[in-house]
Amino acid sequence: QVHVVESGGGSVQAGGTLRLSCTTSGVVYTRDYCMGWFRQVPGKDREGVATIDTDGSTRYSDSVKGRFTISKDAEQTLYLQMNSLEPEDSAIYYCAADAPRDSPCTFFRLAVAAGLHNTWGRGTQVIVSS
């Protein structure tokens, strides 16, 4: 069973930076898992931000491409480096993980896995002021 704990959120001004972390536990080593970041604004659907596959390949939503960088260590931590933050980036950020499968590491796959196994964390809040 995957357990995740997100941290690193906070309040910054537009143009600032934050680095989010997601620590996994259970029988999870980040090097073996498809992992990703999502965010949610109250009253809106959760949206995908970035994914990273077991081979290190990454995908980003258009809204964060060029500003955010997803990475992971070989053990149990996933990161999201967020630069040039904008007020529209304000949200609660969540991470998700899925066991190795013979399919691409996509937002849909991660969201299904997290929903099916109820493995969403509590998230970490990011507030960007203008």
Side-chain angles (χ1 to χ4, degrees):
Q1 181 76 8
V2 175
H3 296 281
V4 298
V5 178
E6 303 91 345
S7 62
S11 296
V12 297
Q13 290 195 320
T17 65
L18 282 173
R19 189 190 196 204
L20 306 184
S21 298
C22 169
T23 302
T24 64
S25 62
V27 187
V28 177
Y29 291 100
T30 55
R31 62 177 178 265
D32 298 328
Y33 274 62
C34 158
M35 302 194 70
W37 287 97
F38 292 74
R39 65 187 182 187
Q40 187 171 24
V41 175
K44 293 189 175 182
D45 292 336
R46 194 168 350 222
E47 64 171 353
V49 175
T51 65
I52 184 166
D53 211 335
T54 54
D55 63 357
S57 58
T58 58
R59 301 173 187 230
Y60 296 92
S61 67
D62 289 342
S63 61
V64 307
K65 201 173 294 182
R67 300 187 297 120
F68 290 11
T69 303
I70 188 171
S71 63
K72 59 184 178 179
D73 65 19
E75 298 298 325
Q76 295 181 305
T77 307
L78 177 73
Y79 303 99
L80 185 68
Q81 178 67 42
M82 305 189 296
N83 299 331
S84 302
L85 281 161
E86 302 169 353
E88 294 73 23
D89 296 318
S90 298
I92 299 175
Y93 284 71
Y94 301 87
C95 71
D98 190 30
R101 301 181 194 280
D102 189 18
S103 63
C105 183
T106 64
F107 295 135
F108 178 76
R109 171 186 163 185
L110 284 167
V112 167
L116 186 65
H117 301 293
N118 193 27
T119 52
W120 290 112
R122 303 183 81 170
T124 185
Q125 187 165 32
V126 171
I127 299 172
V128 184
S129 57
S130 56

